[in-house]
Amino acid sequence: MSVLKADHITINFGGLVAVDDFDIEIEKGELWAIIGPNGAGKTTVFNMLTGIYYPTKGEIYVDGEKMTAKKPFEFARAGISRTFQNIRLFGGSSVLDNVKMAHTMDCHYGYKDMVFRGKKYHAEEERITKESMELLDLFGLADKRDYFATQLPYGEQRKLEIVRALATKPKLLLLDEPAAGMSPGEIDEVIALINRVHTEMNQTILMIEHHMKLVMSIAQKIKVLEFGRTISEGTPEYVQNDPLVIAAYLGGDPDAHA
Amino acid sequence: MEKMKALCKRNIAFPIFALFFLVVTLLHQLGIVNSYFMQVMMLACIYIIMAESLNILNGMTGLSSLGQAGFMSVGAYSSAIFTTYILHVSSLPEPLQVVAFVAATLVGAVMAAICGVLIGIPALRLRGDYLAIVTLGFCEVIRAIWRVVPADIAGGAFGLTGIPKLANFFWAFLFMILSLYFCRNYMDSSFGRACLAIRDNEIAADTMGIDCFRYKTIAFASSAFIAGVAGSLYAHLLSYIHPDVFSYAKSSDFLVYLYAGGVGSISGAMLGALALTVLPELLRFLNDWRLVIYGALLLCIILFRPTGLFGGREFAFLQLKTGGIRVFHVSTFTNWVKGLFRGEKRVKEGAGK
Ligand SMILES: Nc1ncnc2c1ncn2[C@@H]1O[C@H](COP(=O)(O)OP(=O)(O)OP(=O)(O)O)[C@@H](O)[C@H]1O
Ligand SMILES: [Mg+2]
């Protein structure tokens, strides 16, 4: 069964059709990318896949379960986690706490255990701290655990968002422009990291990215959006040579390349 | 005994508080401090509980409440009605009176928590100033209710008199410590972290699987619960309560304590309430100038330390982990004592650039 299925979803904002008839089916272990010019509707797709916006038309299924009218935290519980294009860390909290906060839903002790600090409390807190530190370590952020999240340099904030999203143990990880605003060196590092998460942790990923080098080097399948519509879909080689895509990016006449 | 030792080791705050309690009691017994001072100390304990209660909402969860005195009055009235009219405590033998008092405090706290949930469910759809206004309205409605309840149940507009004086320094201090312990445990748990996440970024908290509505309701109930405890202490300490005591002016007092001490910090709330309760008494020799100086000092605190006296810090002896405080190691005794009072920064500052 597919991890995620978006069945012809459409969303209107007033008169604007921000995403038109978007259709995707992601299988376990795949790495998908969505590309497209600014304002194409990529982030809006993510917002629908995480319950922040409700599609005007169409249905979303996670692991076969219908997610219509579910709230964001229910999407997270169903196994979808994401990062944000404009970083949304828990700025007033430490790096480690940011990751621990993402463990809230898999923290199995009740109010009573919290008040009286029973065995269960200590066991769970220890487990959560250990798992959080392991993830931070993987991303080279372990020694920054005590900093405020907002004190990290920009690139590390983006990494911390990925760590936090991974901490919810998602079935599908959504990355919204994970390399935005990074230096070329950092981009290479991000490519390597996403690759590692994908292959070693067998993480299913759907990402939005502008950097062609990043997308073409690691994505298995690509969807191209323009003005809310899907104009091309396929392997990196196929998409790269699709005249419609070239036209969308270079603003040329599609027939000229055909 | 072994268990006790282990408990003290895990919670160094307990022996420290016990020592403080013994010293103050001893000073009182020896006649070095008078009963008036003890009264101020008891009020300080109660206001510390209130500041901590407010801190759960304003500091941890980022919800603005202006109705804290309302929760306090629910605790005060329901516990006072329980001991005075339902149990007729003054006719009971002494040991039973103590049991009745503890039970009444629990009743008051639970009633306040129920009010917290009832007000929370409709109000939590609102944010920021709007939520503040709804809680303010709640506080005033509760006050109006105490006025119209028949005089033989709650004293009506004349206030409730003849409440048995069951609270003393011991109980005020004990309940304060229990409240601090509760707040510490709350903050250092998935519940507290969920609240902090909601405060820092609600959309991100939501997408990380945190059921914001549930955790906000829990925060409201928990905050109201300990406000109810403070209310019961207040009623059984002064043996007289009046609806006007719990006006929004009282709520704003608690707000001032919290922000002067450092919003979001358990130590800050404690310090703020203690300092601002004791300070006016220390300034009594200034007579008419007292309130002027008090106000000026308050202004200075907020102007020169906008995060409050202890904002972003916690006393190490509270052993808080959340917020990035480093685990406290006892190396030498001097270090230990220094560490206790230095106030560790919760998170490293300015080093991340
Ligand atoms: N809440 C909203 N209300 C109205 N219009 C919106 C809303 N959210 C997005 N839009 C519009 O939908 C369109 C798609 O926006 P979106 O953010 O999805 O683009 P994007 O592909 O992520 O672009 P970028 O590469 O700049 O991030 C834009 O025209 C935007 O103005
Ligand atoms: Mg976008």
Side-chain angles (χ1 to χ4, degrees), chain B residues 60-301:
Chain B
M60 293 190 203
T61 324
L63 299 168
S64 1
S65 162
L66 282 177
Q68 227 56 19
F71 297 130
M72 188 181 177
S73 83
V74 171
Y77 268 94
S78 40
S79 65
I81 291 170
F82 188 73
T83 50
T84 318
Y85 292 118
I86 298 180
L87 291 184
H88 296 286
V89 160
S90 22
S91 60
L92 294 177
E94 188 133 351
L96 272 181
Q97 287 191 355
V98 172
V99 177
F101 169 58
V102 174
T105 303
L106 223 74
V107 168
V110 169
M111 293 299 285
I114 291 172
C115 283
V117 174
L118 289 183
I119 167 86
I121 287 171
L124 284 175
R125 294 176 203 292
L126 306 168
R127 261 158 239 259
D129 298 343
Y130 296 96
L131 179 64
I133 288 172
V134 170
T135 52
L136 180 77
F138 157 78
C139 178
E140 293 302 292
V141 167
I142 289 280
R143 193 154 68 93
I145 289 176
W146 298 131
R147 281 172 176 281
V148 297
V149 171
D152 52 345
I153 298 176
F158 300 108
L160 189 57
T161 52
I163 306 166
K165 195 173 181 326
L166 298 172
N168 52 24
F169 184 57
F170 171 76
W171 287 111
F173 200 78
L174 181 70
F175 279 118
M176 180 201 74
I177 291 174
L178 290 178
S179 305
L180 285 173
Y181 181 71
F182 171 81
C183 289
R184 196 277 305 256
N185 289 359
Y186 191 89
M187 182 113 140
D188 257 0
S189 73
S190 63
F191 292 88
R193 285 193 299 266
C195 287
L196 294 173
I198 292 169
R199 177 195 70 184
D200 284 350
N201 197 319
E202 195 166 337
I203 290 184
D206 208 350
T207 31
M208 291 303 128
I210 294 171
D211 182 349
C212 296
F213 186 74
R214 171 165 179 256
Y215 282 101
K216 282 182 187 175
T217 312
I218 292 175
F220 245 90
S222 311
S223 163
F225 185 89
I226 55 177
V229 171
S232 166
L233 283 171
Y234 189 87
H236 292 94
L237 181 68
L238 299 183
S239 65
Y240 167 66
I241 47 177
H242 187 274
D244 289 351
V245 169
F246 305 104
S247 66
Y248 70 91
K250 203 73 164 184
S251 296
S252 60
D253 277 352
F254 303 141
L255 215 58
V256 170
Y257 298 159
L258 178 61
Y259 278 79
V263 65
S265 157
I266 291 175
S267 317
M270 181 171 81
L271 220 60
L274 180 67
L276 295 185
T277 316
V278 174
L279 191 67
E281 305 304 329
L282 295 179
L283 295 175
R284 270 202 189 276
F285 69 95
L286 291 167
N287 299 324
D288 292 347
W289 283 93
R290 185 170 71 108
L291 290 178
V292 177
I293 302 293
Y294 176 78
L297 278 174
L298 203 60
L299 268 181
C300 288
I301 294 178

Side-chain angles (χ1 to χ4, degrees), chain B residues 34-50:
Chain B
N34 58 18
S35 299
Y36 181 73
F37 175 84
M38 293 306 283
Q39 178 89 358
V40 173
M41 287 309 282
M42 286 185 260
L43 280 177
C45 289
I46 292 171
Y47 294 152
I48 286 174
I49 299 177
M50 286 310 297

Side-chain angles (χ1 to χ4, degrees), chain A residues 16-177:
Chain A
L16 175 84
V17 184
V19 174
D20 190 7
D21 206 24
F22 182 83
D23 201 40
I24 197 168
E25 186 156 1
I26 301 177
E27 301 293 336
K28 193 167 176 359
E30 287 182 333
L31 202 170
W32 280 74
I34 301 178
I35 61 171
N38 286 108
K42 306 180 295 292
T43 300
T44 308
V45 168
F46 270 25
N47 284 341
M48 286 191 283
L49 296 183
T50 49
I52 293 175
Y53 295 156
Y54 296 145
T56 330
K57 262 195 287 193
E59 304 287 352
I60 296 164
Y61 300 86
V62 176
D63 246 357
E65 190 194 343
K66 198 162 160 180
M67 298 301 289
T68 311
K70 290 260 164 87
K71 299 202 180 69
F73 77 88
E74 291 168 311
F75 273 83
R77 279 163 200 222
I80 298 206
S81 192
R82 72 176 286 184
T83 65
F84 294 89
Q85 184 173 359
N86 46 343
I87 299 173
R88 285 180 181 274
L89 286 168
F90 303 125
S93 303
S94 73
V95 168
L96 177 60
D97 282 337
N98 265 266
V99 186
K100 279 178 160 186
M101 282 163 181
H103 275 102
T104 303
M105 63 177 168
D106 87 333
C107 186
H108 300 292
Y109 57 78
Y111 198 82
K112 209 178 105 226
D113 297 307
M114 176 273 282
V115 177
F116 299 107
R117 299 220 153 168
K119 273 207 187 79
K120 218 166 166 189
Y121 165 87
H122 289 289
E124 283 289 276
E125 287 291 303
E126 217 165 276
R127 174 180 68 83
I128 288 169
T129 311
K130 190 168 142 271
E131 288 181 6
S132 304
M133 284 310 293
E134 280 168 7
L135 268 182
L136 282 173
D137 206 27
L138 183 69
F139 280 67
L141 291 170
D143 54 336
K144 301 270 174 101
R145 53 178 279 179
D146 286 334
Y147 291 86
F148 273 120
T150 44
Q151 287 178 325
L152 296 182
Y154 188 78
E156 290 187 344
Q157 290 194 22
R158 284 221 172 275
K159 277 200 225 161
L160 180 56
E161 272 224 329
I162 301 178
V163 173
R164 189 180 65 174
L166 280 173
T168 65
K169 305 193 186 88
K171 291 182 185 133
L172 173 66
L173 175 66
L174 305 180
L175 301 171
D176 198 343
E177 306 202 12

